[in-house]
Structure formats: C-alpha cells, structure tokens
Amino acid sequence: MMTHIIFSDYRNPAAEQAYEIAWDFLLRTGAVGEEFETCVFLAQRISAMVEQGHTNRIRMANRAISEYQRHVDQRDGDIRSGSLFARGR
C-alpha cells in the first residue's frame, strides 16, 4: 500500500495540480519505484519551475515526468555499468 504525499506551493496554485498530474501518470505507468524519492523529486523539480516563472500546469507536469524518467534511466544505467559504485569509492 502506497501513501501519497501532498505537495503545495503557495506561489502558484498550478504547481499542486502539476504535481498531481505527474504523480498520477507515473503511478499509472508503473514508473514509481521508491515512493518517497519520487515525491521529493517531483516536488523539487516543480518548485524549481515555479521559481523560474513557469505557470502552465501541463507543461510543468510533462517536464517533471520527463526529468524523472531521465533520472531513473540514468540511475539504472549507472547501476548496470557499475559506475555508481565506482563513484562511491
């Protein structure tokens, strides 16, 4: 059972909607691995977009989804290649 973390940004009401759109998409596609990590990633990316002046919830959600997918692909590639462990030394 997953617990959903709520996100809100007082500076832009569309940020909360963007977060929910991105979360729902990733959850439905099975892309959510570690729930807390995913929630924090989305919240950080969307907050950064708000700071940059973004206001369109769909664009913010799509960008957050794309960035999360790239993050997961990069992390998985690092694990497969062993470079993640080499960096830790």
Side-chain angles (χ1 to χ4, degrees), residues 6-60:
I6 305 295
F7 168 77
S8 182
D9 191 318
Y10 68 91
R11 300 169 294 178
N12 185 345
E16 182 176 352
Q17 296 168 342
Y19 173 85
E20 291 298 326
I21 292 166
W23 173 260
D24 288 342
F25 176 83
L26 293 171
L27 189 62
R28 279 188 265 153
T29 60
V32 175
E34 209 300 299
E35 178 190 352
F36 183 74
E37 176 189 334
T38 305
C39 290
V40 169
F41 186 94
L42 293 175
Q44 288 175 336
R45 291 310 189 270
I46 291 170
S47 291
M49 286 182 242
V50 169
E51 289 173 12
Q52 295 169 354
H54 294 271
T55 58
N56 184 299
R57 69 175 195 239
I58 300 300
R59 284 191 185 130
M60 287 191 289

Side-chain angles (χ1 to χ4, degrees), residues 58-72:
I58 300 300
R59 284 191 185 130
M60 287 191 289
N62 286 340
R63 186 171 166 193
I65 290 166
S66 295
E67 289 180 12
Y68 179 77
Q69 290 169 330
R70 277 194 299 275
H71 166 75
V72 169

